[in-house]
Amino acid sequence: MATTHLDDPRIIEFDVRTDEMLVNMGPQHPSTHGVLRLVLRTDGEVVSECTPHIGYLHRCAEKIGENLTPRQYIPYTDRMDYLAGMNMNLGWAMVVEKLLKLQLSDKAKHLRVIIAELNRIASHLVGMGAYGLDLGTFSPFLYAFREREKILDLFELACGARLTYSYLTVGGATHDLPSGWLQKCAEFIDQLEPVIDECHTLLTTNAIFVKRAAGLGVLSAEMAIDYGCTGPVLRGSGVDHDLRRDGEDRYTDMYDGYAFEVIVERNGHYPRDHNYPAVPRSAILGDCWHRFYVRMLEVMQAMDLVRQAIDRYSTAKGDYGIPVKLAEKLPKGEAYLETEAPRGQMGFFIVGDGSPIPRRVRARSSSFCNLSVTHELCRGCLIADVPAIVGSLDVVMGEIDR
Amino acid sequence: MSGQAFVDRLKKQFGDHITGANLEAIDPWIEVAPEGLVEVCRYLRDDPELRFDMLNCITVVDYLETDPKKAAKADFAPHLELVYHLWSFPNKVSLVLKVMLPRWKNDVPGELPEVDSVAGIWSTADWHERETYDLSGVRFIGHPSLRRILCPEDWEGHPLRKDYEMPLEYHGIRGR
């Protein structure tokens, strides 16, 4: 066989053998999104094996939880997925409420929807901007951060913090929204819409972007489920599943009566994609492009939800929260609840033993499971495509390492 | 399917491997004997009616009171509880399995208790079992590569055990 190749001058360059090499990527590599270390076994430019090494940001979050009361633990949840602190607060607060069997007023629920969906927008904006950076384009990142800054301003008005909020807490929220906030929020959403369209022209339909992301890192629906991938990664593979619709009653109650469609491809079309050009031909369901596109459409979806929540909140009855003592005694028993955080299903597990301090606290991280599929996606790709694949999973190391 | 009917069905199928259930708990759970875990899990995943195709989470809860006064009053004997949270996409229902393990194998302190790995059934279990081994000290038999995942490879002890003590020093870094 080799001799026939040698006879053909067009093929000869592919017959050159290279040695295997181990390449270490990270933990300080800028395009690995935090302190992620990947060890690549490469043959020339082709990656034959990719092993993620994690734990560089491990801060014993679960052990700390066993030494604090649930309300004291809220600030630690902020630091898990630090790009979506509100969603982390919400997940933890809800599981404690489940254990305490607390029922919240409508007002508190709508407030939570506004805040959680706003944070989802902020988080997806970072995901989108950083993904552009991974693929070598800079301007979408700047646009995304400019818009995210406005959300942080809104959060600062509501709770004083810009990154680690501790705003949503057990029993509701720490304060009500300040007067005039809803007006500001509605104005922000209105001006965001054209910016997102702009980002679509800059990235989604950009020929270079499509060439880089489409058809790359294809994750089948079966594999996504097998590895426990959730959120946009799962929906990007065509699985129609969103906890806001399919989750536990306690969580879906929050979204009861809201009009929204789960962002997933059905018959080659996404809900609300009519404004945008069709899915590129080179894209395969479950590839990097689809994961990215699901996130972009979820921004639009979240904007819609915020608009609806503002209307409902302003007419809702009840209080923004129920006072819960800092050292409220936890009943004996255990509760597990998953919420739909921007990066996937964030689960918290709490075991109470009659004292105010839980016996066990467990955080089931969505990024942890999403990242565990990397070695399957990176097998056989080019070295330059590894950041593109890892970027499309949109992982946050703070949540993986906890 | 009601909770009791489901438990009866499993009991009929697996007999002694189903060792208990609590259907009144906030999240009702079923207790499985360690020997029967893989068999039960495979059935739960593959049965055309049940189809629990996703493993959400593996947790270990350490039941131990380190304070002797509290230990005297505790209503449990020291043990470990493995909690498996499952989800079925076709049926949109969740399920909680529990496996009780001794804190140490044969009650020899330092010998990690063992249970069969379910990494061959759900790939999620690969990293989750590594984390469980790393932080809670449970050895999973048949796991493809059971090594630490969050702590450094040369770390000693399993931090989420209740009797864990922080090392005084690690490579020249002061621990306390």
Side-chain angles (χ1 to χ4, degrees):
Chain A
M1 284 296 280
T3 49
T4 52
H5 277 202
L6 288 171
D7 293 340
D8 188 342
R10 285 167 306 171
I11 300 177
I12 190 154
E13 87 177 278
F14 297 104
D15 205 45
V16 176
R17 297 280 153 84
T18 48
D19 281 335
E20 270 200 345
M21 197 162 73
L22 275 183
V23 179
N24 188 53
M25 209 169 159
Q28 271 89 19
H29 195 279
S31 70
T32 52
H33 293 259
V35 282
L36 169 63
R37 175 172 159 233
L38 298 167
V39 177
L40 311 177
R41 184 181 292 277
T42 61
D43 184 359
E45 273 290 307
V46 180
V47 177
S48 53
E49 199 185 319
C50 166
T51 319
H53 290 259
I54 60 173
Y56 293 91
L57 204 57
H58 181 48
R59 291 150 299 173
C60 325
E62 292 178 8
K63 189 77 177 173
I64 292 170
E66 292 175 10
N67 294 286
L68 295 174
T69 68
R71 263 190 59 199
Q72 288 175 324
Y73 190 57
I74 290 273
Y76 291 87
T77 59
D78 279 323
R79 284 148 181 87
M80 288 182 184
D81 183 351
Y82 40 75
L83 294 177
M86 293 289 194
N87 299 77
M88 297 292 115
N89 295 163
L90 177 67
W92 174 245
M94 286 193 80
V95 78
V96 179
E97 286 157 14
K98 183 174 172 181
L99 184 66
L100 293 171
K101 298 199 171 84
L102 285 182
Q103 287 300 337
L104 265 60
S105 69
D106 283 349
K107 189 158 183 165
K109 284 180 189 166
H110 297 315
L111 187 150
R112 283 180 165 188
V113 173
I114 299 178
I115 297 293
E117 294 303 322
L118 264 185
N119 209 162
R120 190 184 309 277
I121 298 174
S123 165
H124 280 342
L125 282 173
V126 177
M128 177 207 71
Y131 194 44
L133 271 189
D134 286 343
L135 300 183
T137 169
F138 200 67
S139 6
F141 179 76
L142 297 177
Y143 290 158
F145 267 65
R146 184 187 64 199
E147 298 310 315
R148 175 174 175 261
E149 206 66 14
K150 293 173 190 164
I151 300 180
L152 299 193
D153 287 342
L154 285 172
F155 283 164
E156 192 180 4
L157 277 176
C159 69
R162 292 173 65 84
L163 192 71
T164 49
Y165 314 103
S166 308
Y167 178 52
L168 303 182
T169 185
V170 184
T174 51
H175 327 268
D176 204 350
L177 295 170
S179 60
W181 192 92
L182 291 177
Q183 175 68 26
K184 285 199 178 82
C185 181
E187 279 166 17
F188 162 74
I189 295 289
D190 288 340
Q191 67 85 39
L192 180 64
E193 204 149 349
V195 180
I196 298 299
D197 289 348
E198 216 169 62
C199 292
H200 272 292
T201 35
L202 274 171
L203 276 179
T204 317
T205 53
N206 179 330
I208 305 170
F209 178 82
V210 171
K211 273 221 147 152
R212 280 300 305 277
L216 179 68
V218 180
L219 176 66
S220 69
E222 294 74 34
M223 194 189 282
I225 291 173
D226 189 30
Y227 276 90
C229 298
T230 46
V233 178
L234 182 69
R235 290 190 283 277
S237 293
V239 180
D240 187 358
H241 183 71
D242 189 320
L243 283 187
R244 285 173 288 176
R245 188 196 63 196
D246 306 320
E248 253 176 69
D249 293 346
R250 178 169 280 279
Y251 184 54
T252 49
D253 263 5
M254 242 176 79
Y255 291 91
D256 195 26
Y258 282 85
F260 72 100
E261 243 184 300
V262 174
I263 304 290
V264 69
E265 191 194 53
R266 295 182 193 92
N267 310 321
H269 284 282
Y270 278 96
R272 27 180 338 134
D273 69 346
H274 47 271
N275 298 329
Y276 310 111
V279 174
R281 275 206 186 152
S282 48
I284 305 167
L285 191 63
D287 65 1
C288 296
W289 188 88
H290 277 274
R291 285 192 280 277
F292 168 81
Y293 195 48
V294 167
R295 269 183 210 108
M296 290 297 282
L297 292 178
E298 276 187 19
V299 172
M300 306 297 284
Q301 180 200 39
M303 281 159 55
D304 237 27
L305 283 168
V306 173
R307 284 202 182 105
Q308 296 177 42
I310 290 176
D311 290 346
R312 280 151 180 264
Y313 171 81
S314 39
T315 54
K317 294 199 173 61
D319 211 351
Y320 61 87
I322 314 164
V324 174
K325 276 187 288 191
L326 189 62
E328 177 84 23
K329 278 203 171 134
L330 298 172
K332 266 190 190 168
E334 43 206 78
Y336 180 77
L337 185 79
E338 288 194 353
T339 55
E340 189 76 34
R343 281 172 186 76
Q345 291 169 210
M346 184 71 199
F348 282 101
F349 182 57
I350 180 171
V351 180
D353 63 354
S355 74
I357 292 171
R359 166 164 292 279
R360 178 77 162 95
V361 169
R362 172 89 166 105
R364 181 258 187 217
S365 152
S366 47
S367 296
F368 184 83
C369 296
N370 290 352
L371 185 72
S372 69
V373 82
T374 322
H375 71 279
E376 298 272 10
L377 300 186
C378 289
R379 193 177 294 137
C381 77
L382 299 176
I383 296 178
D385 287 338
V386 172
I389 291 174
V390 175
S392 77
L393 296 174
D394 190 23
V395 292
V396 163
M397 293 314 288
E399 188 195 328
I400 293 175
D401 293 343
R402 283 155 284 148
Chain B
M1 205 184 309
S2 81
Q4 193 53 50
F6 182 66
V7 176
D8 290 342
R9 177 176 168 169
L10 283 183
K11 272 192 176 154
K12 206 174 147 200
Q13 185 88 14
F14 296 103
D16 292 346
H17 286 333
I18 308 297
T19 44
N22 183 347
L23 302 176
E24 270 76 59
I26 300 175
D27 295 317
W29 47 265
I30 295 173
E31 191 192 320
V32 183
E35 312 83 63
L37 179 66
V38 172
E39 215 180 311
V40 173
C41 285
R42 196 175 294 281
Y43 173 76
L44 289 174
R45 186 196 66 175
D46 292 339
D47 187 84
E49 259 182 66
L50 304 176
R51 300 269 300 280
F52 284 96
D53 43 8
M54 182 161 141
L55 172 69
N56 292 60
C57 188
I58 301 179
T59 314
V60 169
V61 189
D62 186 3
Y63 282 89
L64 175 78
E65 284 294 353
T66 42
D67 183 358
K69 267 188 198 163
K70 278 187 188 165
K73 278 190 275 176
D75 53 357
F76 53 78
H79 68 281
L80 294 182
E81 249 179 53
L82 260 99
V83 190
Y84 294 79
H85 288 94
L86 311 182
W87 173 261
S88 159
F89 276 99
N91 300 329
K92 299 195 188 303
V93 284
S94 59
L95 176 69
V96 185
L97 292 185
K98 280 194 183 185
V99 176
M100 307 292 170
L101 290 179
R103 292 194 77 248
W104 304 109
K105 190 184 173 188
N106 303 329
D107 285 327
V108 183
E111 291 279 312
L112 298 185
E114 292 173 347
V115 69
D116 288 329
S117 165
V118 293
I121 299 172
W122 299 284
S123 302
T124 329
D126 186 341
W127 279 25
H128 275 243
E129 283 177 353
R130 275 177 69 188
E131 188 187 341
T132 306
Y133 159 72
D134 183 2
L135 300 182
S136 301
V138 173
R139 197 174 293 284
F140 291 91
I141 308 293
H143 186 280
S145 157
L146 196 66
R147 53 207 159 88
R148 289 187 181 269
I149 188 165
L150 293 179
C151 294
E153 272 158 38
D154 58 352
W155 195 260
E156 277 174 28
H158 302 279
L160 285 178
R161 289 290 185 108
K162 290 284 180 193
D163 51 0
Y164 174 77
E165 282 186 22
M166 265 291 279
L168 292 172
E169 195 245 319
Y170 174 74
H171 290 293
I173 306 164
R174 208 153 50 90
R176 275 195 268 209

